[in-house]
Amino acid sequence: MNYFTITLTINRETMVFSVTEEDTLLDVIREKAGLTGTKQGCGCEQCGACTVLLNHKAVNSCCILALQADNGVIETIEGLESSEKLHPIQQAYIEEGAIQCGFCTPGMIMSTKALLDQVPNPDTSQIRSALSGNICRCTGYTKIEAAVKNAARKLEEVSHESI
């Protein structure tokens, strides 16, 4: 088996990994970087539990080979929290009751972040489209949509406070 060296910046920290050509980005995040917030769900790009941001775009990390992500900038659910404080998106999900078992939540939150980074005040259609690759079997999607709208308001407040 051949091993290759890759460099990833994960949650603002540059890391070097030895990987095989079969290792996925999810394998590296969970097993080599020790960041277990990103979940292994279906393994075939259908459920979104493994969603992370790769170069600021939401991707299913289970279907991206680690070698394809070499020199990439990765953001996981663990990268949202700062100074022991929840990110406004995380707080909005809690406030709206959009978290049940929590398995899909990291992927949902990362898809939400990718959306709100591009569209600060999305309408329902944009929210549904952005989250269409994420499956939740516990909450239904009404609370999740409400959480995204709440998060958009929170992020707008934060941006106004920093002006």
Side-chain angles (χ1 to χ4, degrees), residues 80 87-100 104-113 115-116 119-124 127-128 131 136 139-157:
L80 292 186
H87 189 279
I89 297 172
Q90 293 170 308
Q91 189 61 45
Y93 267 70
I94 291 168
E95 290 172 7
E96 297 297 335
I99 299 171
Q100 294 289 316
C104 71
T105 306
M108 288 279 188
I109 288 174
M110 297 313 294
S111 290
T112 298
K113 182 170 189 315
L115 169 65
L116 296 179
V119 183
N121 191 20
D123 61 29
T124 301
I127 293 169
R128 288 179 180 174
L131 297 178
C136 176
T139 65
Y141 296 93
T142 304
K143 291 179 180 183
I144 293 167
E145 289 174 14
V148 176
K149 291 176 182 177
N150 183 349
R153 287 189 300 274
K154 289 179 175 301
L155 290 169
E156 184 176 5
E157 289 170 10

Side-chain angles (χ1 to χ4, degrees), residues 22-33 40 61-62:
E22 296 174 359
D23 286 331
T24 65
L25 180 58
L26 178 62
D27 295 331
V28 172
I29 290 168
R30 288 185 58 82
E31 297 167 19
K32 297 180 185 284
Q40 167 73 49
S61 61
C62 71

Side-chain angles (χ1 to χ4, degrees), residues 122-135:
D123 61 29
T124 301
S125 174
Q126 291 168 311
I127 293 169
R128 288 179 180 174
S129 178
L131 297 178
S132 65
N134 297 82
I135 295 174

